[in-house]
Amino acid sequence: MEQETGERLVVYLAAPLFTQQERRWNREVAVRLAEALGCTVILPQDFTFTGRKNDPRHFGAIFRQCLEGVRAADAVVAVVDGADADSGTAFEMGYAYALGKPIVGVRTDFRRQQERGTNIMLARCCQAFVHRLSFDEELGGLVRELARKLKGLLAQARNER
């Protein structure tokens, strides 16, 4: 998907990235979303410096790269699963919201909280939401719904300019 300027669309995927399972799921969603939209997906779990991941000497650089990724993105997809959403994801959502970036929240966790299954502050900063319970393990449907919501939000943003 291209913008009116002909540039390739950029989506930032904010999600927990601490377990093999989370990282594999993030990568699969990113690959499928890039294919579905023809966009570039920024995946923060890939940020490395000097070829090392999670090196405390580079935490400042990783933080700055995450901020730059959100700034460079046309939209943010934020995974808010868990009893409480990941704190890094919550920060990235707040930052994206402050910058006026469209945010699509994703929740596959069937546990209920305040609104849309999550914390009210996170739910309310999302302009769109994909809520697919974990019992539906078909990832293709989730990605199709994400792509549809992103297209809608980005078209709306273009029309408002």
Side-chain angles (χ1 to χ4, degrees):
M1 183 175 190
E2 292 185 358
Q3 302 178 62
E4 286 180 346
T5 61
E7 294 178 18
R8 191 172 168 113
L9 190 75
V10 177
V11 175
Y12 185 94
L13 180 60
L17 46 72
F18 303 101
T19 68
Q20 286 181 0
Q21 181 179 342
E22 289 167 339
R23 295 172 80 85
R24 290 180 63 159
W25 190 89
N26 295 346
R27 180 149 335 274
E28 185 68 21
V29 168
V31 166
R32 289 181 182 216
L33 194 56
E35 290 171 356
L37 288 176
C39 68
T40 298
V41 177
I42 298 173
L43 196 57
Q45 69 194 42
D46 290 339
F47 295 165
T48 61
F49 294 87
T50 63
R52 298 184 66 191
K53 294 181 187 270
N54 205 39
D55 185 336
R57 296 173 296 170
H58 302 294
F59 285 173
I62 291 169
F63 172 75
R64 288 186 297 279
Q65 194 167 9
C66 289
L67 293 179
E68 178 51 37
V70 172
R71 278 194 301 271
D74 298 296
V76 171
V77 170
V79 179
V80 291
D81 280 341
D84 196 19
D86 170 63
S87 56
T89 300
F91 175 86
E92 290 161 328
M93 291 173 75
Y95 186 56
Y97 183 83
L99 293 174
K101 305 284 181 175
I103 303 167
V104 178
V106 176
R107 186 154 175 93
T108 66
D109 197 324
F110 62 83
R111 294 171 285 190
R112 299 282 311 154
Q113 288 187 24
Q114 293 173 317
E115 188 172 65
R116 294 175 160 169
T118 193
N119 175 288
I120 191 170
M121 297 300 288
L122 302 179
R124 291 286 171 129
C125 77
C126 296
Q127 289 79 14
F129 216 86
V130 173
H131 197 180
R132 290 236 175 189
L133 298 182
S134 59
F135 307 113
D136 176 1
E137 295 180 18
E138 203 275 306
L139 197 56
L142 182 140
V143 171
R144 284 189 296 278
E145 189 174 350
L146 261 177
R148 185 177 57 77
K149 300 257 177 149
L150 282 166
K151 284 179 184 177
L153 283 177
L154 293 165
Q156 179 182 345
R158 273 195 301 270
N159 292 336
E160 292 174 359
R161 286 187 214 148

